[in-house]
Amino acid sequence: MRTPLLECEIDPPKDLLSSWIPLTSLEKMAETTYDVLIVGTGAGGSAVLRRLCEKWGGNEKRIGIIESGDLLLPTHARNLPTMNDERFTKYFLGVSEWIGKTLPDFYGARQLFALGGRTLFWGMAALRMDISEIVKWPVSEKEMNYYYSIAEQVMNVTTGYTKGSSIQEILLKRLRENNFPEAADVATPSDLESTKYGEIHSDVFWSSLSMFAYALNHKPFDLAVNARAVEVFVENGKAAGVKVMNPNKKAYFLKAKTIVLAGSTIETPRLLLNSNIPGRAIGHYLTNHSFLLSTGKVSRQEFTETLGTLSLFIPQTKKRPYQIQMGGPGGEGQWYHWYQPYEEKQLLDELLIGISVFGKVESRFENYLTLDPYERDEYGVPKINVNFSYSEKDKAIIQQMTAALEQASLAMKTPLIPKGDQPAICLMPPGTDYHEACTCRMGNDPETSAVNRFGQIHGVPGLYVADNSMLPSIGATNPTLTTVALSIRTADYIINTLK
Ligand SMILES: Cc1cc2nc3c(=O)[nH]c(=O)nc-3n(C[C@H](O)[C@H](O)[C@H](O)COP(=O)(O)OP(=O)(O)OC[C@H]3O[C@@H](n4cnc5c(N)ncnc54)[C@H](O)[C@@H]3O)c2cc1C
């Protein structure tokens, strides 16, 4: 006779998780001296984190990263099968902060305070800057190409998303044959490989969270959310730490040998100015794109039965200081990555496509952010004011953009249509492009730039910037791929410095 089986005890681990990503409390983080502390988890911050974790692997270096917002989504919102265009837009507008509401000069601006920053909702046009911009930068074309290749690889950038789409092929052909020979497919960070069990690529569309997933599998790091950096400290001329507050306004001091600020074009200079970090260019040279938005009409009859999806662009060139992007079908603001084919709806004879034109804006000292002398936010940090206007040169480019938009619409045979009582072509308020940049711009001269060619604040060893604010210029191109490329480069520099 067999002896009766003994019942095994259930012994769950003590450190259970209540979140989908490991978090560390600020109390615990305050006990550590970090080799690198990153402030902000958007495009720039997550790129630095990924690179450090990949390169440092199992070594003893300590990495911390803090995010002022909470956990919101574990992926890009377009990966959620419950989303469609309407819900996506309303959700983004609902969870982001319309900072432009109180900034007449920069009325369209929005921030997203959440893990992943604005990469949770970005439109994913991942394009390289035109060479006419790069030649003015303190980084060589060769080096930029090297870091662009790395950025494209880590973000899964491809032009294959619209492959085989008849609307894409036909409109591209029409553009190329009618004065726009450079028209091309938009490069998009979308992982189109089939998912194999055991591989980390369940997200089609890239967000910072893909960087966190990779980093987690290479090296442990401490992440705190609801952790707002309010002041940066420098001791003996070097970066020393960051004062951070939780939503209850309890303050912690996080010690770090190296600090990387990645809070965005608005928040990074705000933090630096609030910390009295010297630098004539900090907060200045605010640059965005002038932005025209329009809707074109196409006849469904002109395409094959299987329509496909549209995402193409006419790039900036030396002679063309603007970029035109087309997406759809679905009209203005409705782009190509939706579950719309599955929605039950009437088959239409006429379709709409969205057309955006981004214009180059001069980087001028006179366009700048300042701390409000009177008003503070709930953390006691002065609110931001923005002084921004278009120069005569910017206005002349806006005129050219309008003419080019009409020309492109003729070439594509997609007449522009007014939306309600709005004109067929709208000039969007400054900030609505969400491409603002350059407020801590990179350069060799501390008089005209905030950070040096490696992203370090001039004269303050250990204090770096890695977000859109450090871009030397943005021409007429979407900025994020370049921010990721330069942030990875800054991480490599930090790795060399801390050897
Ligand atoms: C709807 C939409 C569409 C877009 N489409 C495109 C596109 O197609 N192509 C393109 O190139 N770009 C696009 N963008 C812009 C793109 O999202 C930004 O270029 C990119 O996210 C900027 O990265 P960042 O690191 O500078 O800042 P963010 O992504 O904004 O991240 C900054 C992070 O820092 C955190 N933070 C701020 N201050 C503090 C603080 N004091 N303490 C702690 N944390 C802090 C914020 O909460 C946030 O998480 C789009 C943006 C939006 C909103």
Side-chain angles (χ1 to χ4, degrees):
M1 195 179 140
R2 289 194 182 181
T3 45
L5 280 175
L6 290 176
E7 199 173 72
C8 297
E9 274 178 31
I10 298 173
D11 187 16
K14 302 284 173 285
D15 52 347
L16 296 178
L17 295 177
S18 56
S19 56
W20 41 262
I21 186 165
L23 297 175
T24 305
S25 66
L26 282 174
E27 281 81 4
K28 192 100 193 111
M29 284 185 78
E31 292 167 7
T32 306
T33 300
Y34 289 99
D35 290 284
V36 179
L37 179 68
I38 304 164
V39 176
T41 61
S46 69
V48 172
L49 177 76
R50 186 193 191 279
R51 189 66 164 180
L52 294 179
C53 288
E54 177 189 30
K55 291 280 170 186
W56 275 342
N59 75 10
E60 74 298 342
K61 301 277 193 229
R62 301 295 308 262
I63 305 171
I65 180 161
I66 57 167
E67 166 54 50
S68 110
D70 206 343
L71 303 181
L72 180 69
L73 295 175
T75 183
H76 192 297
R78 281 175 176 138
N79 291 319
L80 297 174
T82 51
M83 280 289 172
N84 67 8
D85 178 59
E86 199 188 341
R87 283 193 286 277
F88 175 91
T89 305
K90 285 186 180 167
Y91 187 50
F92 172 65
L93 298 180
V95 295
S96 58
E97 209 174 290
W98 184 14
I99 53 166
K101 201 159 72 170
T102 54
L103 303 174
D105 287 2
F106 219 61
Y107 187 61
R110 277 184 181 271
Q111 290 279 69
L112 181 67
F113 296 105
L115 184 76
R118 288 180 295 174
T119 70
L120 297 179
F121 292 89
W122 75 307
M124 290 175 291
L127 302 168
R128 293 188 181 198
M129 285 294 159
D130 187 62
I131 185 64
S132 57
E133 296 301 323
I134 295 175
V135 289
K136 291 177 261 167
W137 295 2
V139 184
S140 71
E141 183 188 353
K142 191 173 165 204
E143 216 185 334
M144 271 320 295
N145 284 340
Y146 173 73
Y147 280 102
Y148 270 135
S149 307
I150 296 175
E152 284 161 348
Q153 189 227 327
V154 305
M155 294 168 81
N156 298 308
V157 175
T158 173
T159 51
Y161 192 78
T162 47
K163 199 162 179 250
S165 150
S166 74
I167 189 169
Q168 178 88 354
E169 282 172 12
I170 292 168
L171 294 191
L172 194 55
K173 189 160 172 275
R174 287 179 185 171
L175 282 171
R176 284 182 175 162
E177 287 173 356
N178 291 288
N179 296 324
F180 296 102
E182 305 91 350
D185 304 311
V186 171
T188 302
S190 45
D191 185 353
L192 301 176
E193 293 287 309
S194 59
T195 309
K196 294 185 195 75
Y197 188 72
E199 291 181 358
I200 330 169
H201 63 112
S202 53
D203 287 353
V204 174
F205 298 123
W206 179 91
S207 73
S208 289
L209 275 313
S210 303
M211 304 296 230
F212 276 85
Y214 186 92
L216 267 177
N217 285 285
H218 282 75
K219 182 175 179 62
F221 56 85
D222 292 342
L223 163 68
V225 293
N226 295 312
R228 185 164 191 86
V230 292
E231 201 173 341
V232 174
F233 286 84
V234 171
E235 273 169 25
N236 304 321
K238 284 194 206 148
V242 178
K243 182 179 164 188
V244 182
M245 289 173 103
N246 71 12
N248 297 326
K249 315 300 169 309
K250 184 163 180 203
Y252 299 84
F253 186 75
L254 305 189
K255 298 179 282 302
K257 294 176 192 160
T258 305
I259 300 165
V260 181
L261 300 181
S264 78
T265 296
I266 307 282
E267 294 301 327
T268 292
R270 183 179 178 199
L271 192 51
L272 288 165
L273 292 170
N274 192 43
S275 311
N276 293 317
I277 304 294
R280 182 175 174 269
I282 295 174
H284 288 263
Y285 302 100
L286 172 64
T287 312
N288 70 329
H289 290 136
S290 51
F291 178 19
L292 302 183
L293 196 56
S294 181
T295 299
K297 192 168 68 175
V298 283
S299 162
R300 181 72 184 77
Q301 305 301 324
E302 294 173 24
F303 302 96
T304 56
E305 199 166 299
T306 310
L307 188 66
T309 185
L310 175 75
S311 179
L312 53 86
F313 80 123
I314 300 165
Q316 176 191 359
T317 60
K318 198 169 178 192
K319 288 200 180 135
R320 187 190 297 124
Y322 51 85
Q323 174 198 279
I324 310 182
Q325 253 177 262
M326 297 85 179
E332 168 202 296
Q334 299 192 21
W335 296 90
Y336 52 95
H337 10 50
W338 296 114
Y339 297 94
Q340 276 154 336
Y342 304 105
E343 280 179 24
E344 262 187 45
K345 58 185 180 191
Q346 200 190 345
L347 199 59
L348 302 169
D349 291 335
E350 277 180 349
L351 296 172
L352 303 179
I353 60 164
I355 311 177
S356 309
V357 192
F358 296 125
K360 179 172 165 139
V361 167
E362 284 187 283
S363 283
R364 291 185 298 133
F365 187 80
E366 298 74 29
N367 284 340
Y368 63 99
L369 310 171
T370 44
L371 298 181
D372 192 297
Y374 309 109
E375 280 205 60
R376 289 172 183 264
D377 70 8
E378 52 179 317
Y379 295 91
V381 179
K383 288 193 173 171
I384 207 85
N385 287 328
V386 175
N387 293 270
F388 182 87
S389 63
Y390 290 125
S391 69
E392 289 310 313
K393 203 168 166 186
D394 302 336
K395 288 179 193 163
I397 290 177
I398 294 171
Q399 293 298 323
Q400 287 181 49
M401 289 155 63
T402 313
L405 172 51
E406 284 162 349
Q407 212 191 340
S409 116
L410 274 178
M412 291 189 293
K413 297 189 199 154
T414 56
L416 304 179
I417 53 162
K419 193 180 158 199
D421 52 3
Q422 304 266 359
I425 300 177
C426 288
L427 173 62
M428 301 300 283
T432 328
D433 56 324
Y434 309 134
H435 291 168
E436 68 280 353
C438 308
T439 50
C440 293
R441 73 175 184 174
M442 185 181 274
N444 293 326
D445 182 356
E447 280 295 298
T448 56
S449 60
V451 298
N452 70 15
R453 58 191 301 272
F454 297 108
Q456 185 213 290
I457 292 279
H458 287 296
V460 188
L463 183 55
Y464 294 84
V465 176
D467 56 23
N468 282 7
S469 71
M470 59 61 192
L471 295 176
S473 66
I474 53 168
T477 307
N478 317 54
T480 311
L481 179 75
T482 308
T483 291
V484 171
L486 284 173
S487 300
I488 292 172
R489 181 174 173 274
T490 290
D492 280 357
Y493 182 76
I494 292 171
I495 290 165
N496 272 331
T497 312
L498 296 186
K499 258 184 191 160

